[in-house]
């Protein structure tokens, strides 16, 4: 079987690179000085794209007339214009399931760090301040209730962990989930008024852009805690900074940001904000599994088989013959 030409717009983990080199002719466009000239030269040959965070929008899709599949590294794929790809008959895949438990673990760790201030307490010890006095008492999870925004695979894994902590769980979704018994809210503000801890697991995109803003923070109130493990664009950072600085909510824990890796200095200056550098799935075990899913989706396509994890916008209905 001939090796198809594959475009890699941005860097991928080494194990992904090695596996793709064994099955494809890989064009690492990010390594070249003149991207546009190189792309114009190879574009007619490209049949597949492997992307990790880099934007694959309508312009790039249109520049690749033979494109059949875009394999995205990550469960979130807002960097890929999947709807546009669907209109062109191009399959888009992502890497769900393999990172669910890792991200849920991170969400609970971030929640504990935010409410119990474990990171600040460690810094206090390292600074030698324990010799002067005990670390101040903190808030607790014992008297809290959690509302999860986005009860998909990861949201449900987080909910199971929250339940194990003995904390009541509610959720807000576009529609109720039939396989859970948690209270469902079709109104986000109503849920925010009834809980004091909000965990967002929402993907990015136009429908969720800055969904969690001033009105939600005010509904949570001064005991409110906001955890974002989904996409940075879902939370209005300017409104969040104001709510934290004015103590209209108690604290926030963020693993994702609007313009990451750039983080607003105002956020970093706040002592009631816990900030992580998007490490939700960042373990060797999970990133390897995610990379393998990218490879497996592409190999399935190359062998004329159904992809393992096509996104909902591009459901698989069979491959057309490749010329």
């Amino acid at each position: 079987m001939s090796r198809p030409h594959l475009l890699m717009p941005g860097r991928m983990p080494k194990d992904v690179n090695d596996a793709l080199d064994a099955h494809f002719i890989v064009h690492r466009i990010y390594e070249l000085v003149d991207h546009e000239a190189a792309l114009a030269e190879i574009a007619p040959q490209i049949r597949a794209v492997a992307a990790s965070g880099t934007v694959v929008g309508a312009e790039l899709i249109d520049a690749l007339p033979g494109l059949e599949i875009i394999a995205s590294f990550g469960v979130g794929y807002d960097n890929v214009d999947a709807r546009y790809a669907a209109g062109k008959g191009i399959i888009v895949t992502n890497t769900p399931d393999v990172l669910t438990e890792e991200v849920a673990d991170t969400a609970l760790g971030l929640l504990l760090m935010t409410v119990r201030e474990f990171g600040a307490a460690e810094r206090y010890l390292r600074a030698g301040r324990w010799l002067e006095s005990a670390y101040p008492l903190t808030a607790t999870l014992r008297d809290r209730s959690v509302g999860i925004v986005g009860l998909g695979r990861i949201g449900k894994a987080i909910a199971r962990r929250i339940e194990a902590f003995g904390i009541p769980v509610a959720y807000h979704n576009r529609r109720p989930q039939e396989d859970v018994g948690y209270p469902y809210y079709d109104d986000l503000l109503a849920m925010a008024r009834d809980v004091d801890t909000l965990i967002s697991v929402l993907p990015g995109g136009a429908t969720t852009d800055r969904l969690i803003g001033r009105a939600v923070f005010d509904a949570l109130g001064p005991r409110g805690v906001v955890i974002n493990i989904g996409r940075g664009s879902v939370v209005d950072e300017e409104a969040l900074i104001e709510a934290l600085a004015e103590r209209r909510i108690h604290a926030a824990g963020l693993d994702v940001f609007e313009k990451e890796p750039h983080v607003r200095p105002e956020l970093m200056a706040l002592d009631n904000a816990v900030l992580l550098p998007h490490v939700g799935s960042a373990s060797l075990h999970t990133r390897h599994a995610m990379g393998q899913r990218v490879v497996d989706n592409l190999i399935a396509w190359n062998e004329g088989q159904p992809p393992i994890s096509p996104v909902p916008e591009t459901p698989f209905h069979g491959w057309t013959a490749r010329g």
Side-chain angles (χ1 to χ4, degrees):
M1 181 181 294
S2 62
R3 292 195 300 160
H5 289 257
L6 179 145
L7 180 69
M8 192 181 288
R11 297 183 184 280
M12 286 280 208
K14 183 180 183 304
D15 54 348
V16 177
N17 278 283
D18 292 345
L20 292 180
D21 281 335
H23 294 88
F24 303 92
I25 299 171
V26 181
H27 300 270
R28 295 175 175 84
I29 200 78
Y30 60 87
E31 295 181 341
L32 306 177
V33 175
D34 192 339
H35 291 193
E36 292 186 10
L39 183 62
E41 182 178 347
I42 64 173
Q45 300 171 288
I46 299 298
R47 311 295 287 276
V49 169
S52 177
T54 48
V55 174
V56 183
E59 184 178 356
L60 180 56
I61 291 171
D62 284 343
L64 305 173
L67 184 62
E68 297 179 21
I69 183 169
I70 303 166
S72 184
F73 181 95
V75 67
Y77 53 94
D78 43 303
N79 58 305
V80 178
D81 193 336
R83 293 191 183 280
Y84 191 78
K88 295 276 189 173
I90 298 165
I91 289 288
V92 177
T93 66
N94 64 341
T95 63
D97 302 316
V98 295
L99 51 68
T100 297
E101 302 302 328
E102 197 78 70
V103 176
D105 289 347
T106 304
L108 265 292
L110 184 54
L111 176 62
L112 283 165
M113 288 177 66
T114 303
V115 173
R116 292 298 319 281
E117 304 176 19
F118 290 145
E122 188 200 21
R123 293 191 295 273
Y124 186 91
L125 179 151
R126 289 180 180 276
R129 298 180 63 188
W130 192 16
L131 298 170
E132 303 166 7
S133 62
Y135 187 79
L137 300 181
T138 70
T140 180
L141 291 178
R142 294 304 95 217
D143 60 356
R144 289 192 165 269
S145 57
V146 170
I148 297 176
V149 188
L151 201 74
R153 295 180 182 89
I154 296 172
K156 289 173 184 175
I158 292 171
R160 291 195 300 271
R161 287 158 171 76
I162 295 290
E163 275 192 300
F165 275 66
I167 300 168
V169 176
Y171 73 102
H172 167 73
N173 248 25
R174 285 178 295 180
R175 60 185 67 88
Q177 297 288 300
E178 295 180 356
D179 59 343
V180 299
Y182 313 123
Y184 167 71
Y185 288 79
D186 61 4
D187 185 322
L188 176 57
L189 284 179
M191 185 175 76
R193 283 191 291 268
D194 287 351
V195 302
D196 49 37
T197 306
L198 209 65
I199 301 178
S200 175
V201 202
L202 288 175
T207 58
T208 62
D209 188 57
R210 300 190 180 186
L211 179 69
I212 299 174
R214 184 184 180 98
V216 173
F217 304 142
D218 288 345
L220 282 171
R223 280 174 42 86
V225 169
V226 174
I227 303 294
N228 190 7
I229 198 78
R231 277 291 183 265
S233 58
V234 174
V235 173
D236 183 336
E237 280 189 6
E238 188 172 343
L240 176 63
I241 290 166
E242 291 177 358
L244 290 168
E246 296 168 5
R247 305 286 170 169
R248 298 199 331 270
I249 63 172
H250 177 70
L254 309 175
D255 185 48
V256 289
F257 304 88
E258 281 186 348
K259 297 180 179 179
E260 58 186 59
H262 301 287
V263 180
R264 294 176 186 239
E266 304 96 320
L267 262 178
M268 290 195 282
L270 292 166
D271 62 4
N272 55 345
V274 176
L275 312 175
L276 298 179
H278 201 154
V279 295
S281 63
S283 73
L284 290 170
H285 169 87
T286 296
R287 288 294 170 86
H288 175 76
M290 291 166 63
Q292 190 60 51
R293 178 61 63 88
V294 171
V295 173
D296 290 345
N297 274 313
L298 287 165
I299 290 176
W301 161 77
N302 190 37
E303 295 177 348
Q305 301 299 316
I308 298 168
S309 49
V311 304
E313 293 90 338
T314 64
F316 180 72
H317 297 300
W319 298 115
T320 56
R322 301 203 295 270

